[in-house]
Amino acid sequence: MISALNQLVDYIDGHLTEEIAVDDLAVSLGMTEYHLRRMFSSLAGMPLSEYVRRRRMTVAATEVLDGGELLAIAVRYGYGSTEAFSRAFRSVHGAGPGDVRRDGGPLRTQPQLRFRLTVEGNTPMDTRIADRPAFRLIGHSARVPLIHHGPNPHIQAHIASLPAAEHDRLKALGNTDPRGLLQVSANVDPDYTEGSELTYHGVAVTPTTPVPGDLDAIEVPAGTWAVFRAEGAYPAVLQSTWASTATDWFPSNPWRLRPGPSMVAVLDRSADFSTASCELWLPVERA
């Protein structure tokens, strides 16, 4: 994985003025584009698309300072107009091309990333592999912003908006694994950007279970899941477990992520939800 990510970084720098064919590169490296993007964003701390934009604007800044014609620079880096290029340039550098050309800055450089292996993994991960037949997720859906660190007030508000009786009703409907009320994230961009994702607060049922008319549903095909158990301060322990899957577990095991919903099953929690025992279900396939 470390080698693959460094080859990806080298490929990007060699094709900054071209379309970045991540899918072709992923195939040549023996993995899927989905898995490569997810591992990059988890380990780099930014989406792949954001890194490409920052690198392009870093290199383009030199051409701006050299007095090159803005439209030609814009087109060279994949933008159809000087306006679109200027917006991207400003989002990275905090100033437009004209300001930088006049004042010499400010410039915010994105160095080329280099991934290195460090010896960690001193904390064992409580994991199991589960092969599951097809099932259905039913519940109440909401579009909420993805937040990588700390509590997500949007998810909290969505869950709190459901009366206690509705929580009990959903629990009664659930009839297959993973058990209990679930926090489900589906249709997430492979880059896992901080933005919008589809979050379900619901339960898992068999494919033949009728869906009440007031509930949303996701059909989940049969497949394999890596299930990670986490206990401690919530949601910090869950977020650190997410991070450890990328830094420790996937590089050490012959599995890769596949498209599909991720699910969090809360097994037990304190009254104020400050601590919890939970399971993180990730869809995987043999690497």
Side-chain angles (χ1 to χ4, degrees), residues 48-110:
L48 179 59
S49 56
E50 173 67 12
Y51 175 72
V52 171
R53 184 169 63 91
R54 291 184 186 183
R55 283 297 296 152
R56 280 176 169 156
M57 293 303 101
T58 295
V59 177
T62 300
E63 299 183 31
V64 169
L65 288 172
D66 287 343
E69 202 271 317
L70 282 184
L71 181 58
I73 298 173
V75 171
R76 184 155 47 251
Y77 289 96
Y79 294 88
S81 67
T82 55
E83 290 78 9
F85 173 76
S86 295
R87 285 194 298 271
F89 192 93
R90 184 179 293 276
S91 70
V92 171
H93 297 291
D99 301 323
V100 167
R101 182 170 287 177
R102 183 187 64 243
D103 303 328
L107 293 175
R108 296 172 183 165
T109 299
Q110 171 61 61

Side-chain angles (χ1 to χ4, degrees), residues 34 137-147 152 154-155 158 182-190 192-202 215-220 242 260-264:
Y34 183 87
L137 292 164
I138 62 174
H140 298 276
S141 66
R143 296 290 287 184
V144 298
L146 172 64
I147 295 176
N152 189 320
H154 307 280
I155 293 178
H158 172 59
L182 307 175
Q183 297 173 18
V184 181
S185 300
N187 297 339
V188 183
D189 184 273
Y192 224 61
T193 56
E194 286 201 321
S196 292
E197 64 176 338
L198 187 61
T199 296
Y200 277 72
H201 178 67
L215 298 181
D216 303 296
I218 295 178
E219 303 296 332
V220 183
W242 263 102
S262 60
M263 304 174 290
V264 176

